[in-house]
């Protein structure tokens, strides 16, 4: 059974930092491309960023609102994904989800596609003074 | 960025009746090299994370009931629930993944029981 479990959320002051973790099981994490998506209170879904597998380069990409402030990393030995958040703003208040990208071997055996197959339960991050 | 516009914002449907949700993208999300529309649908029940229902605009994810179907191509897409069940009450989101990694979501459509 695939499981993704986020942790590390909480209350932080504007300008502060926080690191979220996403511990995974039930699939080969080292092969997976992973994303973070957030959802502000009462709002829709917003893509935050994505990291490729190390074998595919391990590079990461970010949405414009978080570029330069957030970074994504991974520890394949621990099957864990991270989201490092700094210079936090009130607008960063949201539930943060980690998710794994989908695969379709018939179309591309080599790389995933950017639909989100499995999601964690989410973790609340509140930025407030 | 590709803007995804869903309609309606909410709808109330009687149990057993059809629910139809529309999603329009601001530009074409059909990729000719794969002959696929890069469009997914998700269901989010209250207090839960989103759940993948459909990808490639019309391919149901494993385990998703066949009352859920997706259609459309290019810029106009539809999610249909053929016979609404009580457990289908949720917010539904479309997502384009054509401009990966910068994917974008629609604003959501809330489905309720009439």
């Amino acid at each position: 059974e695939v499981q993704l479990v986020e942790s590390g959320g909480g209350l932080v002051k504007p300008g502060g930092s926080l690191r979220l973790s996403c511990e995974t099981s039930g699939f080969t994490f080292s092969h997976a491309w992973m994303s973070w998506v957030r959802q502000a209170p009462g709002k829709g879904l917003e893509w935050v960023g994505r990291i490729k597998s190390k074998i595919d380069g391990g590079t990461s990409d970010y949405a414009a609102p978080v570029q330069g402030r957030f970074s994504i990393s991974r520890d394949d030995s621990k099957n864990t994904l991270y989201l490092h958040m700094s210079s936090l703003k009130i607008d960063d208040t949201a539930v943060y989800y980690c998710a794994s990208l989908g695969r379709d071997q018939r179309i591309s055996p080599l790389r995933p596609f950017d639909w989100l197959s499995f999601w964690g339960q989410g973790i609340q991050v509140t930025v407030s003074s | 960025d590709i803007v995804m516009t869903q309609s309606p914002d909410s709808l109330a449907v009687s149990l057993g009746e059809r629910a139809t949700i529309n999603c329009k993208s601001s530009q074409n999300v059909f990729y000719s090299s794969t002959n696929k529309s890069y469009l997914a649908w998700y269901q989010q029940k209250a207090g839960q994370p989103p759940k993948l229902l459909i990808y490639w605009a019309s391919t149901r994810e494993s385990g998703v009931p066949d009352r859920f179907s997706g259609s459309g191509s290019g810029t106009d897409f539809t999610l249909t629930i053929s016979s609404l069940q009580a457990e289908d009450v949720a917010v539904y989101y479309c997502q384009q993944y054509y401009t990966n990694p910068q994917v974008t979501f629609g604003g959501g459509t809330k489905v309720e029981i009439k």
Side-chain angles (χ1 to χ4, degrees), chain A residues 52-123:
Chain A
K52 295 180 179 180
S53 63
K54 284 197 165 65
I55 198 169
D56 291 317
T59 56
S60 53
D61 295 274
Y62 303 93
V66 308
Q67 180 77 46
R69 300 188 298 121
F70 289 13
S71 70
I72 300 173
S73 64
R74 61 191 300 155
D75 185 337
D76 291 348
S77 69
K78 296 181 179 178
N79 294 329
T80 300
L81 176 74
Y82 301 100
L83 178 65
H84 308 261
M85 304 184 292
S86 63
S87 302
L88 281 161
K89 304 176 181 179
I90 291 175
D91 286 352
D92 295 321
T93 294
V95 173
Y96 285 74
Y97 297 100
C98 60
S100 60
L101 271 64
R103 284 192 178 271
D104 187 337
Q105 303 285 350
R106 300 166 300 169
I107 304 300
S108 171
L110 295 178
R111 63 144 287 169
F113 294 93
D114 288 72
W115 68 77
L116 300 167
S117 289
F118 298 103
W119 297 65
Q121 282 296 311
I123 190 79

Side-chain angles (χ1 to χ4, degrees), chain A residues 39 43-45 47 50 61-63 97 104 107 111 113-116 119-121, chain B residues 34 36 38 40 42 44 48-50 52 55-56 93 95 97 100-103 105:
Chain A
Q39 188 168 32
K43 302 295 185 182
L45 303 168
W47 177 77
R50 182 195 77 181
D61 295 274
Y62 303 93
Y97 297 100
D104 187 337
I107 304 300
R111 63 144 287 169
F113 294 93
D114 288 72
W115 68 77
L116 300 167
W119 297 65
Q121 282 296 311
Chain B
T34 57
K36 298 287 189 184
Y38 283 47
Y42 301 86
Q44 186 177 32
Q48 295 186 21
L52 176 68
Y55 55 95
W56 296 138
Y93 294 93
Q95 176 222 349
Y97 48 97
N100 67 82
Q102 307 277 355
V103 303
F105 296 87

Side-chain angles (χ1 to χ4, degrees), chain B:
Chain B
D1 287 3
I2 295 180
V3 176
M4 307 301 289
T5 303
Q6 288 184 232
S7 62
D9 292 336
S10 64
L11 74 160
V13 176
S14 300
L15 289 172
E17 295 300 304
R18 179 186 301 261
T20 302
I21 300 168
N22 301 301
C23 174
K24 188 173 184 67
S25 58
S26 62
Q27 57 190 82
N28 189 359
V29 298
F30 178 82
Y31 209 154
S32 56
S33 65
T34 57
N35 197 35
K36 298 287 189 184
S37 288
Y38 283 47
L39 192 285
W41 288 97
Y42 301 86
Q43 173 194 65
Q44 186 177 32
K45 297 182 180 179
Q48 295 186 21
K51 172 189 172 184
L52 176 68
L53 295 177
I54 285 169
Y55 55 95
W56 296 138
S58 61
T59 301
R60 253 190 316 274
E61 173 71 332
S62 175
V64 172
D66 62 6
R67 63 180 180 273
F68 291 93
S69 64
S71 63
S73 182
T75 61
D76 292 281
F77 302 90
T78 300
L79 175 70
T80 301
I81 310 172
S82 60
S83 175
L84 191 75
Q85 305 300 302
E87 61 265 32
D88 301 334
V89 168
V91 178
Y92 293 83
Y93 294 93
C94 61
Q95 176 222 349
Q96 66 80 18
Y97 48 97
Y98 181 86
T99 55
N100 67 82
Q102 307 277 355
V103 303
T104 50
F105 296 87
T109 296
K110 186 174 184 179
V111 174
E112 299 172 307
I113 305 294
K114 184 187 291 183

